[in-house]
Amino acid sequence: MDDKRYLLSLIREGEHQQQDFKYRVADACKLAKSVSAFANTDGGRLLIGVRDDGHLSGVRSEEEIFMMHQAAYTFCKPEASIKFDTYHAEGRTIVVATVPPSNKRPVCAIDEEGRPRAYIRIHDENIVASPVHLALWRESQRVQGAMITYDDDIRRLLDVVNSRLTLNRIVRLSRLPRHRVITLMARLIRFGVLQWEYEGQQFLFWQG
């Protein structure tokens, strides 16, 4: 399969959980958000030099290629793993940047003010990870054979999570300290007791 046919086969998939189009790279910080989101979720690829409507625009300068490397190696902490492949079609250069899932989550993107922020990929969007996700990644580093102890705090938490609720609502209803709720929810998600989804621009949690 030649470069053009391969690129068009990817473009026909559209933007989705594991694919994003970038018309051009003007800001390494913004590109780092996509890298962070893919690394923290299921991995994915960026088609750089492709418009949102799927038309080939091409990478126009060495500066854009430099900013791609900056996004992965300077504006992501820890440094993200990424592979760049270059293709040529219709007299244009397209870069496919492939990001595998990270085993060092969270991979944070450094914003314009130098603050680290972790993202996750949901459908075709890069969403700021919730405090529960951050705790879940920490929880995943714990001993694999760890068990849940159903103490009073967990029972109180489960008593209130009887429908889809936001983190703030769960904290208010449980009357437990916020940091305690976040830690317990992460543990319960890890063991499949709680589930989550992103709906209406907010994270919702419920008993699975």
Side-chain angles (χ1 to χ4, degrees):
M1 184 182 295
D2 63 24
D3 285 8
K4 182 176 180 179
R5 289 176 61 195
Y6 174 66
L7 290 169
L8 292 179
S9 72
L10 296 182
I11 289 168
R12 279 194 293 272
E13 296 179 14
E15 293 182 303
H16 53 71
Q17 180 93 6
Q18 292 181 279
Q19 182 163 282
D20 199 3
F21 298 163
K22 293 294 181 187
Y23 160 47
R24 60 191 298 262
V25 180
D27 187 332
C29 288
K30 290 182 180 178
L31 185 61
K33 294 178 183 178
S34 292
V35 176
S36 165
F38 283 139
N40 289 330
T41 314
D42 302 318
R45 59 180 169 257
L46 290 155
L47 274 60
I48 302 168
V50 176
R51 295 179 183 272
D52 288 344
D53 61 7
H55 283 84
L56 303 178
S57 58
V59 174
R60 303 190 177 195
S61 69
E62 291 294 325
E63 184 180 359
E64 285 192 74
I65 295 173
F66 172 71
M67 282 192 283
M68 290 178 213
H69 287 82
Q70 272 197 314
Y73 305 131
T74 303
F75 288 94
C76 282
K77 300 296 182 187
E79 185 177 287
S81 176
I82 190 166
K83 179 168 73 76
F84 296 100
D85 293 298
T86 302
Y87 299 88
H88 303 282
E90 300 178 358
R92 296 176 172 87
T93 299
I94 309 298
V95 175
V96 177
T98 305
V99 182
S102 176
N103 58 5
K104 297 180 180 179
R105 302 176 193 180
V107 172
C108 294
I110 308 301
D111 67 17
E112 294 82 355
E113 297 173 359
R115 297 172 301 189
R117 184 167 290 178
Y119 292 81
I120 58 174
R121 184 79 173 173
I122 300 177
H123 304 307
D124 61 350
E125 293 185 82
N126 302 324
I127 307 297
V128 177
S130 75
V132 177
H133 286 94
L134 299 177
L136 181 59
W137 289 322
R138 290 194 298 270
E139 177 70 24
S140 69
Q141 304 300 318
R142 292 166 60 90
V143 178
Q144 292 297 314
M147 302 293 290
I148 300 177
T149 301
Y150 281 84
D151 58 18
D152 290 341
D153 286 354
I154 286 184
R155 293 190 184 93
R156 187 189 301 184
L157 186 63
L158 293 177
D159 281 345
V160 303
V161 188
N162 48 26
S163 61
R164 285 169 164 76
L165 299 174
T166 63
L167 170 61
N168 288 341
R169 181 72 174 155
I170 293 168
V171 171
R172 286 195 295 271
L173 290 174
S174 69
R175 297 184 180 180
L176 291 169
R178 182 181 177 85
H179 68 87
R180 178 67 172 157
V181 170
I182 290 169
T183 299
L184 292 179
M185 286 178 63
R187 193 163 302 161
L188 292 168
I189 289 171
R190 178 187 176 194
F191 286 96
V193 179
L194 292 184
Q195 305 292 327
W196 67 270
E197 67 177 352
Y198 186 74
E199 182 180 282
Q201 297 187 326
Q202 59 185 0
F203 289 98
L204 300 175
F205 304 88
W206 72 95
Q207 290 191 51

